[in-house]
Amino acid sequence: MKVIRPDYKNSIMNVSNSFLHYYHVPTNYPGISELDIELKKDYNHIIYVLLDGMGSNIVKHHLKPTQALRQYMRQEITSVFPPTTVAATNAVLSGLPPITTGYLGWVQYFPKEDTDLIVFLNKDFYTETPQKEILRDKYLPYDNICTKIHKQNPNIQTNVFFPAYIGGVTESFEDAVEKVLLVTHNTDQSFNYVYWVQPDLIEHTAGIYSHDVKEMMENLNATVEDLFQNIADDTLVVILADHGLTDVKEINFFQYDSLTNMLKRKPSIEPRATNFFIKDEFLLEFKEEFNKYFSSKYILMNRQEFMTSNLMGEGEKHPLVDTFIGDYIAIAIDHYMISLTDKKMYKAHHAGLLEDEMMVPLIIYSKK
């Protein structure tokens, strides 16, 4: 098992910064040199596609070298930390690292409301109690790259294509491709961000090497090939993922009474990047007890070690990061996950430091 740290000069966040540079938007972060060179060819339309969970591992395992998603993979780049949808998609959409956006994981503790919030669903993870205010809008707002690009370049039409079930306009990946092609064929200049939720969902339930995932990858690839065939010469398509996944075995953490009795509140963030707030009298004892069971499966860092590790990137720290991060964070380095609930069974997951979940493809295609 290979452990990979995020490389914030060669990551999904840097892809977005290449686009910001191209449109003359001020940014403090470098782009990806391979993409910067491609952008010198000068394009009127850019289609920026994020396929959730499409790590390099499944592209190489399930697709032939002649299939588009594999054939046009220019290089592999890293996700951010944690390599998970909340942290990574917001790094792509903002061009900023998680340390700056404050988007860290599926579940984040908001002290004022005293809630372990599912950030994207705006309800408590453990009680399912909804919040009256949308807390991510209240505490974690930012201008996304489309907003930044349009502010700097009012002549550029910018569009975001999200699935309908999360408030977007697309019913399927095929529908998203159809809609974005319509834009590029009927406007002078455009920048388009397309997000689709697969293959992440099927990987979680079926496992990364399953027939179901292969079938999904074949379907996604067929739609991408259709997209490639139908773009004009002045259009660039860039495809990446937010993170990959790895097959896992679940650990029922709540069976370990000696550990749970030391907690101030239940764990948060992610099953493979798990956050612990500890009662003051157990701060030293927790580390010893945790490592007794899990030292071969997780790296346990205290708050100071984690904050100085730069795993979340460098830059201006979001003011709530210090309250989101507990006394310890456990980071997976093996094929295990700490189950935070007994409601779901996962065959694959992400947010740790294994190569499978950290490395994603950078796919670049144009007819020029």
Side-chain angles (χ1 to χ4, degrees), residues 10 17 37 67 87 94 98 111 155 192 199 207 213 220 231 279 290 295 300 322 334-335:
N10 192 45
N17 277 276
I37 292 169
Q67 290 179 284
S94 65
N155 59 312
N192 307 275
V213 172
L220 292 170
I231 61 170
K279 295 173 184 175
F290 183 92
S295 62
L300 188 70
D322 286 328
D334 202 339
H335 296 287

Side-chain angles (χ1 to χ4, degrees), residues 316-329:
E316 184 179 354
K317 183 170 66 174
H318 189 281
L320 284 183
V321 164
D322 286 328
T323 60
F324 291 148
I325 301 299
D327 299 293
Y328 288 97
I329 185 165

Side-chain angles (χ1 to χ4, degrees), residues 327-350:
D327 299 293
Y328 288 97
I329 185 165
I331 304 171
I333 54 171
D334 202 339
H335 296 287
Y336 291 87
M337 59 169 274
I338 290 173
S339 296
L340 303 181
T341 175
D342 57 5
K343 294 179 181 177
K344 272 189 173 181
M345 294 294 290
Y346 291 98
K347 291 189 177 180
H349 220 290
H350 49 84

Side-chain angles (χ1 to χ4, degrees), residues 2-66:
K2 189 174 182 181
V3 170
I4 302 285
R5 287 177 56 98
D7 177 357
Y8 289 99
K9 294 181 179 178
N10 192 45
S11 76
I12 57 176
M13 180 198 80
N14 302 101
V15 177
S16 295
N17 277 276
S18 281
F19 292 132
L20 294 176
H21 296 160
Y22 179 67
Y23 289 110
H24 309 293
V25 179
T27 171
N28 295 323
Y29 298 98
I32 297 283
S33 58
E34 182 86 3
L35 180 54
D36 292 338
I37 292 169
E38 183 66 36
L39 286 167
K40 288 180 180 178
K41 296 178 183 177
D42 197 18
Y43 292 94
N44 288 326
H45 301 281
I46 290 173
I47 302 173
Y48 189 18
V49 181
L50 192 155
L51 295 175
D52 201 316
M54 194 184 69
S56 302
N57 55 342
I58 65 166
V59 174
K60 292 185 285 188
H61 181 82
H62 291 298
L63 297 180
K64 298 174 184 176
T66 54

Side-chain angles (χ1 to χ4, degrees), residues 16 41 45 155 159 168 206 252 281 301 363 366-368:
S16 295
K41 296 178 183 177
H45 301 281
N155 59 312
N159 306 283
N252 186 348
E281 63 269 31
M301 294 185 181
I363 296 152
S366 80
K367 293 179 177 177
K368 286 194 177 184

Side-chain angles (χ1 to χ4, degrees), residues 306-317:
F306 179 64
M307 295 304 294
T308 57
S309 71
N310 292 329
L311 280 170
M312 295 187 292
E314 298 182 24
E316 184 179 354
K317 183 170 66 174

Side-chain angles (χ1 to χ4, degrees), residues 76-234:
E76 294 181 56
I77 57 177
T78 75
S79 183
V80 297
F81 186 84
T84 187
T85 300
V86 171
T89 59
N90 282 291
V92 168
L93 272 170
S94 65
L96 301 169
I99 188 75
T100 299
T101 66
Y103 283 93
L104 307 183
W106 190 245
V107 182
Q108 296 180 212
Y109 178 70
F110 286 77
K112 185 176 179 181
E113 291 78 11
D114 191 27
T115 180
D116 291 295
L117 189 79
I118 302 176
V119 175
F120 281 175
L121 302 183
N122 205 50
K123 64 180 181 180
D124 191 279
F125 179 77
Y126 293 103
T127 68
E128 298 192 354
T129 304
Q131 288 293 312
K132 294 178 180 178
E133 295 181 276
I134 300 176
L135 298 191
R136 67 180 181 276
D137 291 344
K138 181 178 181 180
Y139 293 116
L140 305 172
Y142 63 80
D143 283 345
N144 66 40
I145 57 171
C146 289
T147 300
K148 293 175 182 177
I149 289 168
H150 186 68
K151 281 183 178 178
Q152 189 74 16
N153 308 267
N155 59 312
I156 306 293
Q157 182 184 130
T158 58
N159 306 283
V160 176
F161 297 91
F162 283 126
Y165 78 93
I166 57 172
V169 298
T170 61
E171 300 294 338
S172 64
F173 185 45
E174 293 85 352
D175 183 43
V177 165
E178 185 178 330
K179 284 182 166 66
V180 76
L181 283 170
L182 195 62
V183 168
T184 60
H185 291 314
N186 289 280
T187 57
D188 292 330
Q189 292 180 291
S190 69
F191 178 86
N192 307 275
Y193 175 78
V194 178
Y195 167 82
W196 191 245
V197 72
Q198 296 288 11
D200 179 86
L201 290 184
I202 196 71
E203 289 177 273
H204 275 301
T205 57
I208 62 175
Y209 298 123
S210 65
H211 174 75
D212 289 346
V213 172
K214 180 176 181 60
E215 187 174 57
M216 176 59 70
M217 288 300 297
E218 293 280 358
N219 291 339
L220 292 170
N221 184 78
T223 305
V224 165
E225 289 183 347
D226 183 63
L227 171 63
F228 288 175
Q229 288 171 8
N230 286 285
I231 61 170
D233 292 347
D234 64 348

